[in-house]
Amino acid sequence: MSDCGKNLSTRRDILRAGAGVGTAMLGTVALPSLLRAQEAPIVIGHLVPLTGFLGTLGQYAINGFKLGVDQINASGGINGRQITVIAEDSINPETAATKAQRMIERDKVDVLVGEISSASALAISEVAARNKKLFIATGPRSDVLRADRCSRYMFCTDIPNAVMVNAVGTALKQDGMVEGKKFFTITSDYVFGHDLLKAAKAFFADNKADLVGEELVPTDATDFSANILKIRQANPDIVCLNLGGNQVTNFLKQYAEFGLAYPTVGFNLNTADAWAAGMGSFGGVWPTVWFDTIDTEGTKKFVADYKAAFNDQIPENHAWIEYITAKILEQSIKEVGGTDNEKLIDYLESEAKFDILKHRPAYFRKFDHQLVQEAYSFSVKDEGSYNSVYDMLQLGAAVPPDGEDLTTIYPADSGACKL
């Protein structure tokens, strides 16, 4: 949280009698003559996990959103209004719901943004719906958020599990690694993992692959020795990982120590987790929503700006998705002329186009509030062909290919989402 700067403040920062925008926001009563001459700031409540197995990703999210907000404020704000962000660690679903309610009631936030855990996102979404408050969910991937647990007040910017499976599955089929192959899955035991396993099983069934073993592991599991021994006994052709956060990193390191020859693939992997696994720890094909080598001017500028702001650190996908969410909010608030949540929802449902630094613009589908966009796969380069973890991943082509409708990789409208 120390990276929260002038316009991105923790509650502790705000309550402390110091300088900063958070203090300015709460100082409205004390300084009426000064603030009456100014437009009130736009207040955004930002919740992401900064502890636990998703904590590393949460810090990238904080940085990405801060960069976007800083750039907006530096350019004069939105319609002359600066943005103030109240950022907190969501920790778990119960705490996330409590903090979201407090942000709405006490802090009077205009919009809620953030979250990576699908379980916490569901909890925040329920609070947002009760209070009719717009919530842009930036990182959760569970399909149920776009289906029977969808909400008029929630929009999802990350790609869902079904798209992750389609992106990797397309690459695996091209390499002859699906039909007739025996898979063993390792899955995180919570809503995200269950959802991803369901999508994986459907993919295996549709493409004549066999699931010869499956293991569910708690989200706080750090020792996978027993699971790896079961993999050896099952003798699969391929090990498929449906793990969340740093569980992927921990598993891959232990798997490498066992020296099993079965290749690993996965339907979920964040680039920060891949970097943490280290060189020589894994191979295979993995999905991603964004990568720092995407060849567009927008991505090049974002990477350069991020490195300049954060000590030459390379941004990963959660930094990018929070950054473009800040830009999506900027465009939306400008277009509707304010923060009226019902007007913002109508605008987002209009399928307005957003530049998200990829080759094709994105838009939210009206029937499930999913941001429709390109996806990618990436693979690990051959050993000896790279010198650092930041250069060991090779980005694949965009999915679907240019000229093909973006919706072909997304689930069709099943009627499960009733807005």
Side-chain angles (χ1 to χ4, degrees), residues 96-401:
T98 299
K99 290 185 174 182
Q101 186 68 41
R102 188 170 63 198
M103 286 178 170
I104 293 170
E105 290 181 350
R106 191 175 74 182
D107 303 326
K108 309 299 182 188
V109 297
D110 293 298
V111 178
L112 291 168
V113 169
E115 199 44 60
I116 298 172
S117 160
S118 294
S120 293
L122 278 173
I124 296 171
S125 174
E126 291 173 356
V127 172
R130 284 199 303 272
N131 292 275
K132 298 185 177 181
K133 185 65 64 179
L134 174 62
F135 168 43
I136 299 185
T138 52
R141 292 172 175 165
S142 176
D143 290 318
V144 299
L145 295 167
R146 292 85 168 165
D148 54 320
R149 302 295 295 274
C150 71
S151 165
R152 168 172 170 77
Y153 293 92
M154 178 172 62
F155 289 76
C156 298
T157 52
D158 205 344
I159 54 178
N161 285 339
V163 173
M164 302 286 273
V165 171
N166 286 337
V168 170
T170 299
L172 292 177
K173 286 194 291 185
Q174 291 171 348
D175 293 338
M177 293 179 64
V178 180
E179 186 172 342
K181 299 297 183 183
K182 298 181 294 182
F183 283 79
F184 194 109
T185 59
I186 302 289
T187 302
S188 293
D189 191 7
Y190 77 116
V191 61
F192 158 78
H194 302 166
D195 208 40
L196 190 54
L197 179 59
K198 179 181 177 182
K201 285 181 174 178
F203 175 79
F204 296 149
D206 291 343
N207 292 279
K208 301 178 181 177
D210 294 323
L211 182 60
V212 297
E214 56 181 293
E215 288 282 295
L216 289 174
V217 296
T219 56
D220 59 353
T222 57
D223 183 356
F224 300 98
S225 301
N227 310 109
I228 294 172
L229 289 174
K230 289 182 179 178
I231 291 172
R232 186 163 61 188
Q233 292 170 352
N235 191 31
D237 294 311
I238 300 165
V239 178
C240 180
L241 306 184
N242 301 320
L243 299 171
N246 64 13
Q247 284 196 306
V248 185
T249 307
N250 293 332
F251 179 90
L252 289 172
K253 288 180 176 177
Q254 292 174 35
Y255 189 76
E257 291 171 0
F258 272 77
L260 300 190
Y262 317 119
T264 54
V265 300
F267 293 133
N268 178 66
L269 182 65
N270 296 288
T271 44
D273 300 321
W275 295 334
M279 296 188 290
S281 293
F282 71 110
V285 181
W286 306 79
T288 188
V289 65
W290 177 86
F291 199 65
D292 62 278
T293 62
I294 291 176
D295 189 19
T296 65
E297 291 305 314
T299 282
K300 291 176 182 175
K301 183 178 185 306
F302 166 64
V303 172
D305 290 348
Y306 189 95
K307 292 174 70 175
F310 299 106
N311 300 318
D312 211 35
Q313 184 184 62
I314 296 174
E316 68 93 69
N317 42 282
H318 283 283
W320 163 81
I321 208 159
E322 294 275 348
Y323 178 83
I324 62 110
T325 297
K327 300 295 185 176
I328 287 172
L329 271 176
E330 179 188 28
Q331 176 180 324
S332 302
I333 294 172
K334 280 183 177 177
E335 288 295 323
V336 306
T339 58
D340 183 300
N341 277 202
E342 299 301 328
K343 291 181 180 178
L344 285 173
I345 290 169
D346 290 343
Y347 177 73
L348 295 172
E349 285 186 338
S350 73
E351 300 195 345
K353 299 293 192 297
F354 298 98
D355 178 4
I356 60 169
L357 319 183
K358 297 182 179 181
H359 292 285
R360 285 171 280 188
Y363 64 93
F364 288 101
R365 292 199 299 195
K366 185 175 182 178
F367 75 84
D368 64 356
H369 291 183
Q370 169 61 45
L371 187 69
V372 176
Q373 58 184 297
E374 297 170 338
Y376 305 86
S377 64
F378 67 81
S379 56
V380 184
K381 297 177 182 175
D382 294 334
E383 284 193 59
S385 64
Y386 55 87
N387 296 316
S388 79
V389 292
Y390 301 107
D391 187 39
M392 70 178 178
L393 305 178
Q394 180 67 50
L395 183 69
V399 179

